[in-house]
Amino acid sequence: MREVEKVSPEELQFIFNFCKKKGFEFVDLRMELVDHLASQVEAVWQKEPELSFKTAFHKVYKSYGIFGFNNLYQVHSKLVWKKYWTLTKQEFMHWFKPPQIFASLLAGLLCYFGLSAFPFLGFYIWCFIYLGIVATMIYMIFKSKTVAKRIDKEQTMLLSSPRQFWWIFYLGYTLPLQMTSFSFVNQKSWGVLFTTLFLLISLLFIIANFKIIRLAEEQVYSIKSRLAYYHP
Amino acid sequence: MKKSYIKGFLEDIILHLIAQEGESYGYELTRLVEEKTEGIIKLNEGALYPVLHKLENDGLLLSEFKDSGTRPRKYYRLAAKPEAKERVEEMALSAKAYITALNGLFST
């Protein structure tokens, strides 16, 4: 019989690797799940202290039903998108609150009246938008890979944000290119308005993503120190 | 008890418990709910963690990993801003009103 019914470092490592094999790739979420499972194993030991770790863990795993962790995994995958979307939305909201809203309005008015007076600027603005978005995507992919190396190439919810960025890039920037030639944008006043709004949204989107990847980088330092618990 | 009964109350239950405990973590919350409701309500992990993360994203909860002795454990606590406290109070009032309304319906 165990003296202290606590999961040992080796057993903790087993649970950590087991969750990774089951597809819980985001280490920040996995750590929370590992603690939950370890607590459940310890609760089993309180009732049946004679059980081995493997038997107790199997008992816990079985309690998740016929699909095992599948339901939990699906929920976790959705959380990543939610986290990314919430942070992006927060950044957008930030620029629509005083005093930042004055800067947003000023940028919008400058762009609108500038384009109305000098329609040829439209071409350069669209080039700037697309180059900016592509450059941001390349930077995020590069940065997330570099930062991931600091935590044994593990992924966190925030570090995986280039994946979400890619979908927005595809749906918001490449699909419209396939459907329209964009020749209308400088010919009519609503085209000027559309260009102005698209520029502002793209700028905010780029700022939001830079902040997300910076936040991910800051988070990695604390994750790195916690990872030692799972690799005794 | 049907899971759909609990779904609408999950945020209320979790916020209320965390406010009551000061700080808590996922597994403890499942145990607390089970104990306080004498096993009638059971929180499953698939429902609990998305709600915890949603409340954290909304800024109502703050989280911090602490050393629990053998492993890191993520603790949640109510955010210090007044909106969080107001939301807990509002939720408690709504839940009580809802329970009274249901009592009125089913007591006859």
Side-chain angles (χ1 to χ4, degrees), chain B residues 68-86:
Chain B
S68 73
T70 52
R71 56 185 177 266
R73 176 167 283 163
K74 194 175 180 182
Y75 283 89
Y76 294 88
R77 65 175 195 280
L78 209 62
K81 56 183 184 182
E83 293 101 290
K85 212 178 164 191
E86 280 165 19

Side-chain angles (χ1 to χ4, degrees), chain B residues 90-101:
Chain B
E90 266 172 37
M91 280 180 167
L93 285 175
S94 314
K96 277 174 191 162
Y98 194 65
I99 291 162
T100 314

Side-chain angles (χ1 to χ4, degrees), chain A residues 54-216:
Chain A
K54 286 276 165 75
T55 317
F57 183 73
H58 183 65
K59 208 169 178 177
V60 168
Y61 183 63
K62 251 175 74 180
S63 71
Y64 282 83
I66 192 163
F67 297 110
F69 290 163
N70 280 0
N71 293 339
L72 203 56
Y73 170 71
Q74 279 164 10
V75 168
H76 274 204
S77 305
K78 282 181 195 162
L79 276 175
V80 179
W81 170 250
K82 273 189 188 173
K83 180 98 182 164
Y84 177 78
W85 181 238
T86 309
L87 289 170
T88 310
K89 208 166 68 182
Q90 274 172 4
E91 188 57 32
F92 272 71
M93 298 299 283
H94 171 77
W95 287 95
F96 286 98
K97 282 180 191 163
Q100 299 86 297
I101 192 166
F102 299 113
S104 311
L105 278 173
L106 185 70
L109 287 172
L110 269 175
C111 182
Y112 184 82
F113 289 113
L115 263 176
S116 302
F118 309 103
F120 71 93
L121 284 176
F123 171 76
Y124 296 103
I125 288 178
W126 282 97
C127 286
F128 172 75
I129 292 172
Y130 274 86
L131 284 174
I133 287 289
V134 171
T136 308
M137 195 164 75
I138 294 169
Y139 172 78
M140 286 188 60
I141 293 169
F142 171 76
K143 191 74 182 169
S144 67
K145 282 192 175 171
T146 317
V147 174
K149 277 182 190 166
R150 293 182 206 157
I151 46 168
D152 307 332
K153 293 186 182 169
E154 290 277 10
Q155 274 297 317
T156 69
M157 282 201 283
L158 290 181
L159 270 182
S160 71
S161 45
R163 288 183 218 170
Q164 328 299 332
F165 190 98
W166 162 249
W167 277 110
I168 294 172
F169 173 71
Y170 178 68
L171 294 172
Y173 292 87
T174 63
L175 267 189
L177 264 185
Q178 290 161 28
M179 291 188 290
T180 173
S181 62
F182 280 87
S183 56
F184 63 89
V185 291
N186 296 322
Q187 288 163 8
K188 293 175 181 151
S189 61
W190 63 266
V192 173
L193 184 67
F194 179 75
T195 306
T196 305
L197 290 175
F198 208 80
L199 173 70
L200 285 182
I201 291 169
S202 300
L203 281 176
L204 290 182
F205 185 54
I206 288 170
I207 294 171
N209 279 285
F210 269 93
K211 283 196 175 175
I212 289 172
I213 208 78
R214 201 176 63 191
L215 202 67

Side-chain angles (χ1 to χ4, degrees), chain B residues 16-24 76-78:
Chain B
H16 179 72
L17 280 176
I18 293 175
Q20 226 175 26
E21 293 295 312
E23 63 173 11
S24 191
Y76 294 88
R77 65 175 195 280
L78 209 62

Side-chain angles (χ1 to χ4, degrees), chain B residues 52-82:
Chain B
L52 278 173
H53 292 136
K54 183 190 175 291
L55 292 170
E56 193 186 0
N57 279 344
D58 292 347
L60 295 171
L61 290 181
L62 296 174
S63 72
E64 188 188 2
F65 269 96
K66 286 183 184 176
D67 186 346
S68 73
T70 52
R71 56 185 177 266
R73 176 167 283 163
K74 194 175 180 182
Y75 283 89
Y76 294 88
R77 65 175 195 280
L78 209 62
K81 56 183 184 182

